[in-house]
Amino acid sequence: MSYRGRARKFLESASIDVGDMVRVEKPDVTYEGMVLDRADDADDRHIVLKLENGYNIGVEISDAMIELLEKGSEPRIKLPPVEAAEDPELPDVSIISTGGTVASIIDYRTGAVHPAFTADDLLRANPELLDIANIRGRAVFNILSENMKPEYWVETARAVYGEIKDGADGVVVAHGTDTMHYTSAALSFMLRTPVPVVFTGAQRSSDRPSSDASLNIQCSVRAATSEIAEVTVCMHATMDDLSCHLHRGVKVRKMHTSRRDTFRSMNALPLAEVTPDGIKILEENYRKRGSDELELSDRVEERVAFIKSYPGISPDIIKWHLDEGYRGIVIEGTGLGHCPDTLIPVIREAHDMGVPVAMTSQCLNGRVNMNVYSTGRRLLQAGVIPCDDMLPEVAYVKMCWVLGQTDDPEMACEMMRENIAGEINERTSIAYFRG
């Protein structure tokens, strides 16, 4: 137990420990719930309870009385039995965990949420998966997705490659949502896959009544058994617990901090709508299962700068990256693909040094067109690579990957303009716009 000082004495006065069910009475309110542990550096004036509705609250202990209702030595909610014998009639799906909320289970003694690394953990939390596929699970690492970096993209790609080599009929990658679209883009470029590779996550943890974790993991496993043999992202289609959308891994972006339907296809339609029971194709243009041989091209260049243009941006920012030896630059420009005129000389300098500079748009919807205004034309003359309707994050990931494949700046420019994994549409329809 991490409680200290007054809070610890308050609990010990009634022989209460973490995981016990208690009643706390204050002059104007009474709470019943499970005592949760706290961080070591938390103040000593509060205890934390998990209420019956699933939410956690902090209770200030002054003027409070506490009563033990039930010891927490055994789980109050019995975990379902797991019958994990393989069914030869079902496909084999591997679930790889990189961290994140979706691959977590609740410890019903303490109310805490812990990573679920094994197939048994996953099946106990989601026994419905047994009706969809034979499941095997393992952890590659366990990090917050904001701590992702290119070397971890490589590790994830190698882990997926290994699972497919070992006979998996599909792979699900559990990932934190904040940077999931970066990693899905990275694997889209690194892997040619004969089977589906599906990223999924959760906006809300599995100890909350509104958690999206269960539906997302079930739909992702269903998508991993489908005929769509691409790297995709599978998350809630709406705020309701009805279905998920399956997004192409290079055409998807997190668009809201907390909504369960935060992931949206950008400049494209979702590939499919998925439920635990089936899949409805929405976009017929996709790679079919078995149409590609398994290939892994996992070299990446980490020295790529991702720079947002803004009013008053100094050329020194780009100059600093050149002086530090960065090998590529992606600019998130304004409108049709612009940045201040003051950046053009240093961009031309980068081009002359053999450092590719690519231009995307902060607008996200629509495409770069640098022939409309004079600024765009001068940027093209300075050697800037227009990225069409590629998302800024995807262009950054692609630049990292392209520079891992070639040291030739001209070849890098050609590869950035080439549609490799569905990241560039020949045309962008306004029908795709979602404000």
Side-chain angles (χ1 to χ4, degrees):
M1 181 167 62
S2 299
Y3 286 99
R4 57 187 176 84
R6 286 172 289 179
R8 189 181 189 95
K9 290 179 181 177
F10 180 71
L11 294 173
E12 290 178 343
S13 68
S15 300
I16 290 168
D17 203 349
V18 170
D20 292 345
M21 293 297 298
V22 300
R23 178 183 294 116
V24 178
E25 294 185 4
K26 292 176 68 71
D28 56 349
V29 66
T30 298
Y31 300 104
E32 290 188 6
M34 180 190 297
V35 179
L36 302 185
D37 214 348
R38 297 199 64 182
D40 291 336
D41 59 351
D43 71 69
D44 66 347
R45 296 172 298 168
H46 297 80
I47 63 171
V48 179
L49 300 182
K50 178 175 289 296
L51 305 181
E52 290 290 342
N53 63 12
Y55 286 93
N56 303 341
I57 64 166
V59 180
E60 210 273 331
I61 61 175
S62 64
D63 298 326
M65 297 181 61
I66 191 167
E67 175 188 356
L68 176 66
L69 299 179
E70 182 180 342
K71 292 299 291 181
S73 58
E74 297 293 333
R76 284 172 50 79
I77 301 176
K78 301 298 183 182
L79 295 173
V82 177
E83 301 292 340
E86 288 196 1
D87 184 340
E89 300 298 318
L90 292 177
D92 298 324
V93 172
S94 294
I95 301 179
I96 291 174
S97 174
T98 65
T101 304
V102 70
S104 300
I105 56 174
I106 306 171
D107 180 341
Y108 287 103
R109 188 185 69 81
T110 65
V113 179
H114 299 292
F117 286 165
T118 68
D120 191 62
D121 286 336
L122 290 164
L123 292 173
R124 285 191 183 279
N126 304 278
E128 302 89 348
L129 298 180
L130 288 170
D131 297 326
I132 304 173
N134 300 312
I135 302 296
R136 59 191 187 207
R138 70 183 181 97
V140 181
F141 32 76
N142 182 34
I143 62 171
L144 299 172
S145 74
E146 58 265 32
N147 294 325
M148 267 285 175
K149 47 189 174 181
E151 67 182 78
Y152 295 158
W153 301 340
V154 173
E155 288 185 52
T156 305
R158 290 175 179 173
V160 171
Y161 177 85
E163 293 297 321
I164 298 172
K165 285 273 286 187
D166 288 343
D169 297 308
V171 180
V172 173
V173 181
H175 196 290
T177 59
D178 282 1
T179 65
M180 182 159 59
H181 53 302
Y182 286 84
T183 310
S184 68
L187 267 66
S188 296
F189 296 121
M190 292 180 188
L191 284 170
R192 286 283 181 175
T193 174
V195 303
V197 176
V198 185
F199 279 78
T200 194
Q203 284 285 85
R204 301 174 188 178
S205 62
S206 52
D207 63 331
R208 294 179 61 181
S210 61
S211 176
D212 51 337
S214 181
L215 181 67
N216 289 347
I217 194 73
Q218 289 181 58
C219 290
S220 296
V221 171
R222 175 63 68 187
T225 69
S226 76
E227 293 299 305
I228 302 176
E230 296 192 19
V231 178
T232 57
V233 170
C234 186
M235 294 285 289
H236 262 54
T238 68
M239 288 290 286
D240 298 320
D241 288 312
L242 300 175
S243 64
C244 290
H245 274 155
L246 191 66
H247 309 275
R248 181 166 276 132
V250 288
K251 281 296 185 186
V252 63
R253 195 174 191 273
K254 184 173 182 177
M255 298 298 290
H256 195 279
T257 57
S258 59
R259 282 178 65 111
R260 298 191 300 176
D261 58 347
T262 176
F263 280 86
R264 305 293 178 89
S265 285
M266 306 298 295
N267 293 315
L269 294 173
L271 294 175
E273 183 175 5
V274 189
T275 69
D277 298 321
I279 184 165
K280 177 184 178 182
I281 301 299
L282 302 177
E283 171 58 69
E284 295 290 345
N285 182 25
Y286 60 85
R287 290 193 181 114
K288 308 296 192 292
R289 178 184 288 272
S291 61
D292 282 336
E293 295 291 328
L294 179 63
E295 294 181 17
L296 177 66
S297 303
D298 62 359
R299 295 188 308 276
V300 295
E301 172 56 69
E302 297 193 20
R303 293 171 297 170
V304 173
F306 189 16
I307 299 172
K308 190 182 190 79
S309 179
Y310 55 87
I313 184 174
S314 171
D316 293 342
I317 293 175
I318 294 178
K319 187 67 167 66
W320 181 89
H321 285 93
L322 296 178
D323 292 344
E324 290 294 313
Y326 276 66
R327 292 193 54 225
I329 296 171
V330 174
I331 297 175
E332 190 177 352
T334 55
L336 290 167
H338 301 145
C339 64
D341 289 343
T342 53
L343 298 189
I344 294 177
V346 73
I347 288 173
R348 183 177 290 107
E349 179 183 346
H351 175 74
D352 293 343
M353 293 171 60
V355 176
V357 180
M359 180 66 73
T360 65
S361 176
Q362 298 168 20
C363 295
L364 305 180
N365 290 284
R367 65 194 304 117
V368 165
N369 185 346
M370 303 177 70
N371 289 304
V372 177
Y373 295 106
S374 59
T375 298
R377 292 192 292 272
R378 288 197 296 273
L379 285 165
L380 288 174
Q381 292 167 3
V384 166
I385 306 165
C387 287
D388 299 303
D389 69 339
M390 215 185 311
L391 290 168
E393 296 89 347
V394 173
Y396 161 71
V397 172
K398 186 177 182 180
M399 181 75 81
C400 292
W401 179 79
V402 163
L403 293 176
Q405 313 309 304
T406 182
D407 293 323
D408 182 350
E410 291 188 9
M411 179 62 71
C413 179
E414 291 178 15
M415 293 177 70
M416 287 298 294
R417 296 302 308 274
E418 180 185 354
N419 182 23
I420 293 172
E423 71 278 12
I424 299 172
N425 289 327
E426 184 177 346
R427 293 184 179 86
T428 301
S429 170
I430 61 172
Y432 299 148
F433 175 70
R434 300 182 72 173

